[in-house]
Amino acid sequence: MSGWKYRKSSTRALGDLHPGGNPHIHTDPRNIARVALALEERMAQIDPANAESYHSRGKSFLGRWQAAIVRWEQQVAPLKGVPIVVYHKDFSYFINWAGMREAGSLEPKPGLPHPGASRRSTGQNENPARQSHHLFALQQPQAAEFLSTRANIPA
Amino acid sequence: MMPFTVGGTDKAKDLFGLFDDTIGRLLATVK
């Protein structure tokens, strides 16, 4: 997978880490194509009576998907190099694919709730919004909206 | 707010919509 990162070690003291690496692979469209191809091959293997159907539908999907990737890669050109602050590191594959720069994350540790608006420090990502122009949040929009308002950057 | 997954927003009805909507939302912030 593009950008797959295994961890040599993990501990719950670091938060809710995924020992096998960041699993949010679907945010890179190139990985969707790889998964689709693997699914097509596996389904044909375990259900040979319908193998032709799996291959036909897989080919159709991958054709449309590759065309869409070409279109998306043209569309994301203005995003290249744009710094972005995320809430949780579940968009890293997209950020890598689009050529954006992940300036920091709002979570103090993966999977742990944000300490709230009164928190003055974000640990290793100290004041990430000051160096960033954009931020977005997935699980907890309140944190991003709070920072967006205070730092005057779009959320 | 990003859709993140299929069904995450009204426009992210399938995988194609997921990326269309995600990219559209990001582009809207940089304009």
Side-chain angles (χ1 to χ4, degrees):
Chain A
M1 291 295 168
S2 300
W4 184 266
K5 296 175 182 176
Y6 288 98
R7 294 187 179 279
K8 293 181 179 178
S9 64
S10 68
T11 166
R12 287 297 182 188
L14 299 176
D16 186 23
L17 289 174
H18 301 285
N22 187 334
H24 309 289
I25 60 170
H26 72 285
T27 59
D28 181 335
R30 296 169 299 183
N31 289 340
I32 296 286
R34 294 183 177 97
V35 171
L37 184 58
L39 275 176
E40 172 194 331
E41 292 174 350
R42 180 59 178 155
M43 292 301 291
Q45 184 182 38
I46 63 177
D47 183 18
N50 292 301
E52 185 56 38
S53 176
Y54 295 123
H55 290 313
S56 174
R57 294 173 69 99
K59 184 177 180 180
S60 172
F61 172 80
L62 286 172
R64 289 179 287 123
W65 193 252
Q66 295 296 355
I69 288 178
V70 170
R71 173 167 53 85
W72 290 327
E73 286 180 341
Q74 293 171 345
Q75 291 176 337
V76 300
L79 299 176
K80 192 172 184 63
V82 172
I84 188 167
V85 176
V86 299
Y87 181 82
H88 178 73
K89 293 177 74 68
D90 45 11
F91 238 55
S92 299
Y93 294 95
F94 181 95
I95 291 169
N96 177 63
W97 168 71
M100 301 179 77
R101 183 168 61 82
E102 192 169 309
S105 59
L106 298 182
E107 276 184 327
K109 293 178 180 177
L112 298 181
H114 192 272
S118 63
R119 184 180 173 88
R120 293 179 181 275
S121 170
T122 54
Q124 67 182 32
N125 299 317
E126 188 77 25
N127 297 322
R130 290 186 180 176
Q131 302 169 12
S132 180
H133 300 149
H134 304 87
L135 63 94
F136 64 89
L138 301 169
Q139 293 88 351
Q140 294 198 21
Q142 309 94 309
E145 289 165 2
F146 172 82
L147 186 57
S148 172
T149 301
R150 298 300 175 91
N152 193 30
I153 54 178
Chain B
M1 190 72 175
M2 296 291 115
F4 183 63
T5 192
V6 172
T9 62
D10 289 343
K11 292 183 178 178
K13 297 183 183 303
D14 56 20
L15 283 169
F16 292 90
L18 170 63
F19 281 92
D20 282 337
D21 196 23
T22 297
I23 292 168
R25 287 169 185 261
L26 287 170
L27 289 174
T29 69
V30 300
K31 286 181 180 177

